[in-house]
Amino acid sequence: MKAFSCRVCGNSLYFENSICITCHTRLGFSRAEHAIVPVDDQGQYADADGRTWYVCRNLKLSGCTWLTDQPGDSCFACGLTRTRPNDEDVEALKEYKVAEGAKRRLVVELDTLGFPIVPRTEDPVNGLAFDLLSSAKEKVTIGHASGIITLDLAESDDAHREKVRVQLDEPYRTMLGHFRHEIGHYIEWQHVRGDLIEQARELFGNEEESYADAIERHYSEGPPAGWEGNYISMYATMHPFEDFAETFAHYMHICDTIETASAHGLTTVASPQSFTSFRDLVVGVWIPLSVALNQINRSMGKGPLYPFVIPAPVLDKLQFVADLPRR
């Protein structure tokens, strides 16, 4: 994520800020400008071309500061959500706010990486939409199916998510991580077809293998011996679909963290997208940076920020994913 600052007073801003805490200017996020901009008391912003933009109607509901071109309308990011909790479900709405915040960050990352986002409302066959459901009210299975990504809002609760993480013996589990993993399934569905499918199979395996059998095998037998030499995580060993999605999630982890570190002067590299070889970026920049960040976390008495090891075969998989926007 790039570094943001208030255009009125120059104070540093977080991506989620709706008001500058220094000069109290109201703020909105312009997807068109990829910037946080000042808005007036009516929540309006006039861009350099004289076009008027309006703060999303969901500001109070989900903390959304994004701008839209129609007054009283939802922004692009909010429009991707097909299903959300009803207004009477107070607890689920708290979790929904966290999930929407993660989704907005996901959209910015996809824009930055060069992956087009087509809403389901515009393309009912190939478009993207999110069902954000609460397992407190119904059974929710996190996953992707033909452009619909379903997420469990309970994962927004730190205690619940940590309990599940420990039960599944996972080194990392966050709401943003869920979004990045599931969007990986969507990206594979949309972009790894035709000429790319054979290359993908060489790296990740045959995606036509029975997914149901793979799930049963994974949870009854666990990962294969020596999996650490070929996969980024235990979950990636379950099926080629999951290997791709896990790889894509880590591609996003790496790009976003390097861009953030660079924006704040922790590294001097250019944008990750400027590297022809993603392998070189990982080996030359990411691994040393992640080691340093892990040590910083330990200095605060916390676990490693990036608790993963990247073996050589995963570098090939990451390179394949990083090349997709160029294709």
Side-chain angles (χ1 to χ4, degrees):
M1 185 65 69
K2 64 181 288 188
F4 297 101
S5 60
C6 178
R7 290 186 178 181
V8 176
C9 70
N11 180 59
S12 295
L13 300 172
Y14 289 105
F15 177 57
E16 297 80 10
N17 280 146
S18 59
I19 297 176
C20 174
I21 61 173
T22 300
C23 68
H24 307 294
T25 298
R26 296 182 63 184
L27 305 168
F29 178 77
S30 168
R31 184 177 179 230
E33 298 181 24
H34 198 83
I36 296 176
V37 299
V39 299
D40 62 22
D41 291 339
Q42 285 72 48
Q44 299 179 16
Y45 166 70
D47 64 21
D49 297 324
R51 186 176 181 182
T52 301
W53 297 82
Y54 308 85
V55 173
C56 177
R57 70 180 182 185
N58 293 326
L59 174 61
K60 293 183 179 179
L61 177 68
S62 64
C64 182
T65 64
W66 284 35
L67 302 180
T68 179
D69 58 1
Q70 296 295 324
D73 203 357
S74 299
C75 70
F76 177 84
C78 288
L80 294 172
T81 298
R82 187 177 73 164
T83 310
R84 69 166 180 85
N86 63 60
D87 292 342
E88 286 71 42
D89 194 343
V90 177
E91 190 61 36
L93 286 178
K94 291 179 182 178
E95 298 168 345
Y96 167 72
K97 185 175 182 179
V98 175
E100 282 291 327
K103 178 161 66 69
R104 290 192 290 272
R105 184 173 286 263
L106 177 79
V107 172
V108 170
E109 292 166 359
L110 292 173
D111 285 344
T112 301
L113 294 172
F115 288 97
I117 308 170
V118 180
R120 196 75 170 184
T121 52
E122 295 181 10
D123 186 345
V125 177
N126 294 292
L128 175 66
F130 294 86
D131 287 342
L132 304 181
L133 309 176
S134 173
S135 58
K137 302 293 183 181
E138 58 188 308
K139 180 178 174 57
V140 178
T141 300
I142 298 174
H144 164 266
S146 302
I148 305 299
I149 291 176
T150 301
L151 290 175
D152 182 4
L153 292 175
E155 292 285 329
S156 297
D157 179 73
D158 293 341
H160 169 85
R161 191 178 62 254
E162 180 63 11
K163 180 180 179 181
V164 176
R165 186 194 69 78
V166 172
Q167 288 175 342
L168 298 179
D169 194 24
E170 296 176 342
Y172 171 91
R173 190 179 184 92
T174 67
M175 178 57 82
L176 181 57
H178 284 310
F179 273 102
R180 287 170 171 169
H181 176 95
E182 297 306 331
I183 203 68
H185 287 303
Y186 175 75
I187 294 297
E188 182 176 22
W189 179 56
Q190 284 296 297
H191 297 283
V192 185
R193 295 177 176 181
D195 295 340
L196 293 180
I197 193 63
E198 291 303 324
Q199 185 181 352
R201 286 172 178 170
E202 290 177 6
L203 292 168
F204 302 98
N206 187 354
E207 82 290 348
E208 293 181 337
E209 295 177 0
S210 170
Y211 190 81
D213 291 346
I215 292 176
E216 183 177 354
R217 180 176 62 250
H218 180 78
Y219 287 110
S220 63
E221 302 176 9
W227 66 268
E228 299 91 342
N230 294 285
Y231 299 91
I232 192 64
S233 69
M234 284 193 295
Y235 195 70
T237 69
M238 186 169 71
H239 188 274
F241 279 150
E242 301 305 340
D243 193 10
F244 183 94
E246 283 287 271
T247 302
F248 191 86
H250 280 261
Y251 163 64
M252 298 194 80
H253 294 335
I254 292 168
C255 287
D256 193 33
T257 308
I258 288 178
E259 185 179 36
T260 304
S262 180
H264 291 276
L266 300 181
T267 182
T268 58
V269 300
S271 168
Q273 287 67 58
S274 65
F275 279 74
T276 302
S277 170
F278 196 76
R279 174 192 294 270
D280 290 347
L281 178 68
V282 173
V283 174
V285 179
W286 174 243
I287 291 178
L289 176 63
S290 63
V291 169
L293 293 174
N294 287 347
Q295 296 287 28
I296 290 171
N297 255 29
R298 287 192 173 99
S299 295
M300 289 294 294
K302 298 179 69 66
L305 180 81
Y306 188 75
F308 300 93
V309 176
I310 302 178
V314 174
L315 288 174
D316 295 333
K317 297 174 186 179
L318 286 168
Q319 186 65 59
F320 176 84
V321 168
D323 286 339
L324 287 177
R326 300 187 182 100
R327 288 164 166 158

